[in-house]
Amino acid sequence: MLDSSSSAVPPAATGAAPPADADAPPPRVTPSRRRGVMASIVRAHPSMLWFVVPLATVSEAAEMVLPILLGMVIDRGIVDGDLTATLLGAALVIGVRLVGTLMWVITFLASQKAVLYERHRLRVGLTGAVLDPRSRRIDRPAGEVLSIATSDADKASDVLDMLPWGIPSALAILGATIWMAFQDVWLAVAMLAGIVVMVLVVRVITPTLSARYDAQQTQAAEAAATATDLVHGLRVLQGLGVQSRARAQYRRRSRIALDAALVNSRFSGLSSGLTTLVTGAMMAAVVVIAVLRGLQGELGIGALIAVVGVARQVMGSLQGLAEIPVWWASMSTSARRVRDLFADLGREVDDPALSLAALSTARDQRGDGGAHGRRAAAGGLHLARPAVSVPDGSVVALACEDVRDADAVIDAVSGRTDGGARLGEQALTPRSLAGLRADLLVEPHVVDLFDGTLREQLATRAPAGTAEDSTDGSDDAWADAALEAAGAQDLLRILPEGYDERILDRGANLSGGQRQRIALARAVAADTPVLVLQDPTTAVDAVTEQHIAEALVAARSRTDRATLLVTRSPALLRGAERVVYVKDGAVAAEGDHLTLLEREDYREMVQR
């Protein structure tokens, strides 16, 4: 599952809080309001319609005119023995060819630039939407999201590659048909018949191709999701000794995706075969009619060559247009998947907050303050349900009888739901979350680590002016203190390169306890005025847990810092200054851990 509201951000994110208007939540997106991705792509490039397509039309028209000009040169120059007409005609043919080639180069470069830009825009926009805390949480495998943000985003952008030749080819075919009508009505009839049959074939096969592409992309995404899950769980699989079973599972997924691709290829091949048959029959009919008219003396040799040349050019254009159903099925399916992912996140493809300009200047919410960027007290954390206050200078533990109550508290303080929680006097809601993240850090039970060194992991949200000044390892006192508070000093001995040891994505080269302690050290290094931790020690042994409890409480026991521990850990409950026992969604009792142990229900909960 992806949690777009996670407090963690990539190590590269640095800077100050975003402007106030960035705090506004994105509008709720309903199916009726979902904007088409391909329509958005085309709207973003108006020059494609008024500049590139006209130039491409000139290029396509030049290719179609060449055989006509050549026929005129033959009839009026070579056959008539007119040297001047021959030379002028040859020069005109060369000039038209050069103009057509130049127009093609310009349109090709412009369209490719637009395609690459849109691929980049969609990838960055989707990534920004996933990372934005204002987006809705989504229940999709990471591999599927990755597939949509890469493969589908690339395919959807190909609409800009299709326009510069699709529309000009259709116009050129129409012009060629009109010219054929002036030469001979039956030539135009033959071409029109071929075009009509082509349109019918395209109309029949397009829905089937779209459905096949949808199935193919879905299966490919599921295979990617399986591969991602296997890679992230590699150490666990190796520990259990079930690598062969995992390989077999991926082979099954991959085989399903392969079968879907093969079925899709067969339908694509059938489409290409039918269109080739139609265009070939049309070409044969045009050539036969033209030869008969030539034998009857109604067409000169130059005109005959022109008709055959134009017919050949039309055949090539029709075959190109025949590929549009294949392209369209692929593009529309991918565009729909991209649109649906945006909608699931509660965003739209044209969301101004997800534009390249906005995302390229956006910074994280660490804020600034003090000589080293250290934030002042925020006024504590206050919950409405259950009614609990964590004032500045205190470390409070919240022990919930029902895990659902604990999750509800985390959702409220994370701003994912409007649960009446407050940071000082400011309400914690999806609307205000982005502007308050400088003063609040919520570290959920399920943690994520990014690819990078141990120092970079700890520096993810360290206040400006601390971690940045010690990237060379000259002063790692801040990191030492964070590891000490998380009971993770031994990592400097275990990891060969110490702070320079590379940690793989999601901590794939670490044990569960090591990952959890690094995530805890990262949270402590952030030094936020208010810190919320959910079960931060479930993957460590009792001795380490006791050490962490003592060191963590010592590190956070400052007059301008407030800490909430949502946990059932006896060590953390014993170390907290005050314990609040929550039962049935309400505060049942509060006091120190030893006093609450006199309650049978509290004692049973802790001993589970």
Side-chain angles (χ1 to χ4, degrees):
M1 175 187 294
L2 287 180
D3 183 356
S4 60
S5 301
S6 173
S7 59
V9 294
T14 59
D21 59 358
D23 297 343
R28 183 176 180 84
V29 179
T30 60
S32 60
R33 292 182 56 196
R34 295 180 184 176
R35 297 178 181 174
V37 171
M38 287 194 291
S40 169
I41 291 173
V42 175
R43 284 197 304 268
H45 298 270
S47 62
M48 186 65 64
L49 296 178
W50 61 261
F51 176 71
V52 177
V53 171
L55 289 184
T57 303
V58 172
S59 175
E60 196 70 28
E63 294 296 321
M64 199 68 73
V65 166
L66 278 177
I68 299 176
L69 291 177
L70 186 59
M72 294 174 63
V73 170
I74 292 174
D75 279 342
R76 300 181 184 181
I78 297 177
V79 174
D80 292 345
D82 189 338
L83 179 60
T84 301
T86 301
L87 293 178
L88 290 176
L92 182 60
V93 168
I94 294 173
V96 171
R97 177 58 128 174
L98 290 176
V99 170
T101 302
L102 178 61
M103 296 299 100
W104 180 87
V105 170
I106 294 174
T107 57
F108 177 79
L109 293 177
S111 64
Q112 291 306 303
K113 180 180 179 180
V115 168
L116 294 177
Y117 175 87
E118 282 304 314
R119 289 177 179 178
H120 176 63
R121 181 175 78 97
L122 288 180
R123 288 195 296 261
V124 172
L126 281 171
T127 303
V130 171
L131 295 176
D132 196 323
R134 295 167 296 174
S135 298
R136 287 201 298 258
R137 298 178 66 183
I138 57 174
D139 188 13
R140 292 195 184 209
E144 180 184 1
V145 175
L146 177 62
S147 176
I148 294 174
T150 52
S151 176
D152 287 310
D154 288 354
K155 284 186 173 66
S157 303
D158 285 342
V159 65
L160 294 179
D161 197 16
M162 182 186 71
L163 287 177
W165 63 264
I167 297 176
S169 293
L171 293 175
I173 291 173
L174 178 61
T177 303
I178 295 174
W179 179 80
M180 285 283 190
F182 281 102
Q183 302 303 310
D184 189 282
V185 174
W186 288 107
L187 290 175
V189 170
M191 287 191 61
L192 286 174
I195 293 172
V196 170
V197 174
M198 180 74 71
V199 170
L200 292 177
V201 170
V202 168
R203 180 66 183 86
V204 170
I205 64 178
T206 297
T208 302
L209 282 175
S210 296
R212 296 295 176 180
Y213 266 106
D214 195 2
Q216 177 187 343
Q217 290 296 93
T218 300
Q219 297 300 335
E222 290 182 359
T226 300
T228 303
D229 292 341
L230 292 178
V231 171
H232 289 157
L234 183 59
R235 287 175 62 90
V236 177
L237 295 173
Q238 290 174 337
L240 296 175
V242 292
Q243 299 96 314
S244 60
R245 183 176 300 176
R247 287 194 298 268
Q249 179 183 358
Y250 178 70
R251 281 198 301 271
R252 286 194 297 271
R253 287 288 188 186
S254 182
R255 184 67 196 185
I256 293 173
L258 174 61
D259 291 341
L262 291 175
V263 170
N264 183 48
S265 296
R266 284 195 290 270
F267 274 88
S268 298
L270 176 61
S271 170
S272 298
L274 288 174
T275 54
T276 300
L277 176 62
V278 172
T279 55
M282 183 205 71
M283 177 70 178
V286 169
V287 170
V288 169
I289 294 173
V291 170
L292 291 176
R293 293 295 182 265
L295 292 177
Q296 295 171 1
E298 298 179 8
L299 289 177
I301 185 171
L304 178 61
I305 292 175
V307 168
V308 174
V310 170
R312 183 178 180 277
Q313 191 68 29
V314 169
M315 178 180 178
S317 297
L318 280 176
Q319 286 182 322
L321 291 177
E323 296 298 320
I324 287 183
V326 179
W327 274 41
W328 182 260
S330 175
M331 290 184 298
S332 61
T333 298
S334 293
R336 184 170 61 253
R337 288 165 59 81
V338 171
R339 180 202 64 191
D340 290 345
L341 178 56
F342 271 118
D344 288 350
L345 291 164
R347 313 302 289 267
E348 287 187 342
V349 64
D350 292 326
D351 191 332
L354 301 178
S355 66
L356 287 176
L359 293 175
S360 63
T361 57
R363 297 293 183 266
D364 66 20
Q365 292 85 33
R366 294 184 305 179
D368 53 6
H372 296 289
R374 191 172 189 275
R375 303 286 293 184
L381 179 66
H382 311 281
L383 307 178
R385 297 184 298 273
V388 178
S389 289
V390 185
D392 292 325
S394 64
V395 178
V396 176
L398 193 68
C400 298
E401 175 80 18
D402 191 333
V403 68
R404 290 174 295 185
D405 292 333
D407 291 339
V409 168
I410 295 298
D411 286 341
V413 298
S414 296
R416 291 194 290 263
T417 61
D418 190 354
R422 290 183 294 109
L423 185 67
E425 297 301 323
Q426 302 181 74
L428 278 169
T429 65
R431 183 183 193 83
S432 65
L433 175 62
L436 299 178
R437 283 161 67 91
D439 294 320
L440 171 67
L441 173 60
V442 181
E443 190 68 51
H445 172 60
V446 179
V447 298
D448 282 322
L449 299 179
F450 301 95
D451 184 274
T453 66
L454 175 58
R455 184 182 291 104
E456 290 171 339
Q457 302 291 336
L458 301 179
T460 299
R461 284 196 60 175
T466 55
E468 288 88 342
D469 295 338
S470 60
T471 53
D472 58 355
S474 59
D475 184 8
D476 286 323
W478 63 275
D480 294 337
L483 290 180
E484 169 68 25
Q489 315 93 305
D490 60 316
L491 290 178
L492 297 179
R493 299 189 302 271
I494 297 174
L495 301 177
E497 300 296 328
Y499 284 118
D500 295 320
E501 181 75 13
R502 182 188 176 192
I503 307 300
L504 299 181
D505 182 40
R506 295 198 178 187
N509 57 336
L510 303 174
S511 67
Q514 291 170 340
R515 287 195 298 270
Q516 196 170 56
R517 286 186 292 163
I518 290 177
L520 178 57
R522 179 180 64 188
V524 173
D527 193 27
T528 51
V530 177
L531 175 63
V532 180
L533 300 173
Q534 181 184 24
D535 295 324
T537 59
T538 54
V540 299
D541 58 76
V543 175
T544 303
E545 187 176 39
Q546 181 61 41
H547 176 66
I548 292 174
E550 296 172 357
L552 177 62
V553 171
R556 293 290 300 179
S557 293
R558 301 179 184 179
T559 57
D560 59 353
R561 293 293 179 261
T563 307
L564 175 64
L565 306 175
V566 181
T567 182
R568 294 181 183 178
S569 163
L572 292 175
L573 294 173
R574 185 165 49 249
E577 301 170 8
R578 178 165 57 97
V579 178
V580 178
Y581 176 42
V582 176
K583 186 174 183 180
D584 297 329
V587 176
E590 59 180 297
D592 61 70
H593 176 61
L594 294 179
T595 302
L596 292 179
L597 282 176
E598 298 176 1
R599 292 178 58 107
E600 182 179 356
D601 51 357
Y602 178 83
R603 185 170 60 252
E604 290 180 353
M605 178 199 69
V606 173
Q607 293 175 348
R608 288 176 188 169

